[in-house]
């Protein structure tokens, strides 16, 4: 598990969210899970590039707010918006509610904002690891830009659920 493979994974999950959004734009849970994973891997890539061991990263687990806090302590840009988005999304992501949704009210962040945050983090970590010159040369590669048009307000209720 290197910082490079973690960042590659973050880019792949972001690109996967774009592909899903292209075909199934109201797949709120699936897109959110992909973007949560993308964000987790981008933060872990940053931490790994700052000397965190695999054991330390595993101990942090899937806790997005804790990963952000550790990354900001190592120099990643801190914003209140990032903290808010990852606190709200982090609860659902850590408890695997996007993978196993329950019949209950969930506070969510719209996929558009999640994708924007994933893009910000991936770009910031990419520039940190490879430099701005390489980023400028690579910025049209999958996962380094948002390749799908996300709806302003996802409507997960449009999916039909059946009990058989």
């Amino acid at each position: 598990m290197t910082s490079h493979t973690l960042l590659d994974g973050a880019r792949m999950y972001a690109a996967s969210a774009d592909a899903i959004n292209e075909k199934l734009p109201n797949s709120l849970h699936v897109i959110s899970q992909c973007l949560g994973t993308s964000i987790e891997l981008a933060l872990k890539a940053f931490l790994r590039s700052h000397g965190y061991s695999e054991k330390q990263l595993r101990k942090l687990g899937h806790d997005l707010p804790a990963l952000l806090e550790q990354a900001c302590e190592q120099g990643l840009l801190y914003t209140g918006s990032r903290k808010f988005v990852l606190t709200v999304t982090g609860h659902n992501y850590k408890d695997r509610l996007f993978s196993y949704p329950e019949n209950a009210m969930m506070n969510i962040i719209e996929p558009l904002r999640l994708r924007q945050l994933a893009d910000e983090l991936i770009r910031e970590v990419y520039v940190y690891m490879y430099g701005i010159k390489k980023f400028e040369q690579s910025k049209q590669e999958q996962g380094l830009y948002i390749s799908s048009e996300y709806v302003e307000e996802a409507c997960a209720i449009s999916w039909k659920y059946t009990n058989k």
Side-chain angles (χ1 to χ4, degrees):
M1 180 187 336
T2 70
S3 58
H4 304 286
T5 59
L6 289 166
L7 186 56
D8 286 347
R11 291 176 55 194
M12 285 184 241
Y13 276 100
S16 295
D18 289 348
I20 294 165
N21 182 64
E22 202 62 37
K23 297 287 183 186
L24 302 165
N26 287 317
S27 299
L28 178 70
H29 293 93
V30 176
I31 293 169
S32 296
Q33 180 65 34
C34 284
L35 293 172
T37 303
S38 176
I39 290 166
E40 175 186 347
L41 294 175
L43 292 169
K44 286 182 174 180
F46 187 79
L47 292 171
R48 188 77 166 126
S49 71
H50 279 81
Y52 278 59
S53 67
E54 284 187 45
K55 184 176 180 180
Q56 288 172 301
L57 295 180
R58 288 187 195 284
K59 187 174 180 182
L60 287 166
H62 308 296
D63 189 336
L64 299 179
L67 288 164
L68 177 65
E69 182 180 324
Q70 291 293 309
C72 289
E73 286 179 11
Q74 298 302 318
L76 189 77
L77 177 66
Y78 172 86
T79 69
S81 176
R82 285 180 176 182
K83 181 178 180 182
F84 175 78
V85 168
L86 294 188
T87 298
V88 172
T89 301
H91 169 74
N92 301 326
Y93 180 75
K94 185 178 178 185
D95 290 346
R96 310 262 313 141
L97 294 178
F98 295 130
S99 295
Y100 305 103
E102 297 176 1
N103 192 13
M105 293 293 292
M106 257 171 75
N107 292 319
I108 58 133
I109 300 294
E110 290 288 336
L112 172 61
R113 179 61 189 116
L114 274 182
R115 183 60 179 98
Q116 290 167 336
L117 180 55
D119 187 57
E120 291 169 19
L121 292 172
I122 290 168
R123 287 170 173 247
E124 189 172 339
V125 174
Y126 191 96
V127 168
Y128 172 79
M129 289 173 53
Y130 300 110
I132 191 69
K133 184 177 179 181
K134 179 146 170 89
F135 172 76
E136 288 298 326
Q137 295 168 344
S138 306
K139 67 183 178 183
Q140 293 304 312
E141 293 178 7
Q142 288 291 313
L144 287 177
Y145 69 99
I146 301 172
S147 66
S148 178
E149 189 172 321
Y150 285 75
V151 295
E152 292 289 327
E153 293 182 24
C155 183
I157 198 132
S158 68
W159 283 85
K160 304 280 189 232
Y161 296 97
T162 59
N163 283 331
K164 292 185 178 183

